[in-house]
Amino acid sequence: MIGQQKLESRGRMFSKLSAFSNRKWFQVTLLTVAGTLAYIAISWALQALVFGGADAVRPGLLTAFILPVLFIAPLLAFLGLKLHENASLKQQYAQELAHDSLTSCLNGTLFSAAIDVFATGTGRRKGALLMVDIDHLKRINEHIGYSAGNQAISVIAGIIRSTVRSGDLVGRIGGDEFGVYLPGASKENAEKVAERIRHAVSEVRFEPSGSNWPLTVSVGAVLFETEATADDLLVAADHQIRIAKEKGRNRIESTRLPDSRSSSRPSLH
């Protein structure tokens, strides 16, 4: 499943690269023609200046006109195309490095960094973090196989992404865990989002081997109204996940981050 995802991702990458090059073809052609004409003009002007007179310039047509057309123009075109291709590849690779290949969610490192930016920015010191943990994923891996487990992860990731707002952040922070950062969300907003995710996952039909396998998630929610770091929120959410697991899974547990937090709180990193 992971190999197939990578192949599909690479296919999308080269498709985008091709489209990018086509859009830029006119610019590359224009640059090539302009560069060649400029070279011809400068070369011709220099020969006229050095040798003087139109008759003296005619023998230099080989170097002033034919040589640029045969060699300079193709070189400029090649360099222009390579520059555009490299820019497109860098953009695509940056996109792929920022996202988990299986779920298309932000990877854990970028997700944590984004929280630190959002949660400490002016006017954004309020919101919620949801940690969504897939229940019994290990059982699916052991009884059906890791391919089915990856399917379950992908299905749940799609549900989460379709549930949140465009300004919310979704990241895969572990093998079976997702983080959902809701900037500016109130307690009621966060609880509604958490319940929509929990309910949608429990209602989905998951039949990787022809038989229905129930999917559920446990959600730990942390509300905050003061400056908070990613570690503050993730540690608190992880504690709520453990409570939800102990109470039977497929449920939501929430807490509010206190204003005064100990600096000795352990880090997830």
Side-chain angles (χ1 to χ4, degrees):
M1 182 68 178
I2 294 178
Q4 181 181 354
Q5 291 281 343
K6 288 183 177 179
L7 288 174
E8 292 176 354
S9 177
R10 289 173 183 171
R12 290 193 299 269
M13 178 185 69
F14 286 111
S15 176
K16 290 181 179 179
L17 175 59
S18 176
F20 181 84
S21 297
N22 289 335
R23 289 197 302 270
K24 295 296 182 179
W25 179 254
F26 175 75
Q27 294 181 18
V28 172
T29 303
L30 187 62
L31 176 64
T32 302
V33 172
T36 304
L37 291 177
Y39 180 90
I40 293 173
I42 294 172
S43 177
W44 213 330
L46 286 174
Q47 290 186 62
L49 180 64
V50 173
F51 299 105
D55 294 335
V57 174
R58 290 194 187 98
L61 286 177
L62 177 64
T63 57
F65 183 76
I66 300 176
L67 182 63
V69 171
L70 292 179
F71 297 101
I72 303 301
L75 179 60
L76 288 174
F78 176 78
L79 291 176
L81 286 172
K82 285 302 177 183
L83 286 173
H84 286 306
E85 288 176 1
N86 288 339
S88 181
L89 285 172
K90 286 179 181 178
Q91 182 181 10
Q92 184 63 33
Y93 282 136
Q95 179 77 1
E96 291 187 352
L97 288 173
H99 292 77
D100 174 63
S101 61
L102 177 62
T103 64
S104 297
C105 299
L106 293 174
N107 64 44
T109 301
L110 187 58
F111 180 74
S112 296
I115 290 177
D116 285 334
V117 172
F118 271 73
T120 58
T122 303
R124 292 186 180 275
R125 296 179 182 178
K126 174 185 176 183
L129 174 74
L130 309 180
M131 183 178 287
V132 182
D133 187 282
I134 304 174
D135 295 328
H136 301 303
L137 181 63
K138 183 179 179 181
R139 184 181 299 174
I140 295 175
N141 289 333
E142 291 176 347
H143 287 78
I144 315 177
Y146 283 94
S147 177
N150 287 336
Q151 282 184 261
I153 292 170
S154 181
V155 166
I156 292 174
I159 291 173
I160 295 173
R161 292 199 313 272
S162 66
T163 301
V164 301
R165 304 167 301 183
S166 59
D168 299 331
L169 302 177
V170 180
R172 187 182 180 191
I173 56 179
D176 57 355
E177 289 181 333
F178 296 91
V180 182
Y181 181 71
L182 310 171
S186 65
K187 182 177 185 295
E188 292 74 18
N189 296 146
E191 289 177 346
K192 286 180 180 179
V193 173
E195 176 55 27
R196 283 202 300 267
I197 293 172
R198 188 207 64 79
H199 179 74
V201 172
S202 66
E203 291 293 312
V204 71
R205 291 187 63 84
F206 181 62
E207 301 175 334
S209 59
S211 58
N212 185 45
W213 281 75
L215 292 179
T216 62
V217 294
S218 298
V219 183
V222 181
L223 306 163
F224 66 95
E225 295 181 353
T226 185
E227 184 174 313
T229 67
D231 280 350
D232 291 329
L233 297 172
L234 290 170
V235 168
D238 185 65
H239 181 66
Q240 296 305 305
I241 285 288
R242 290 198 298 269
I243 295 174
K245 298 287 187 180
E246 291 170 358
K247 290 186 177 181
R249 296 180 169 83
N250 190 25
R251 59 182 296 118
I252 302 165
E253 293 293 330
S254 63
T255 188
R256 187 177 297 276
L257 198 69
D259 291 346
S260 57
R261 302 182 300 279
S262 171
S263 61
S264 62
R265 177 173 289 172
S267 169
L268 291 183
H269 304 302

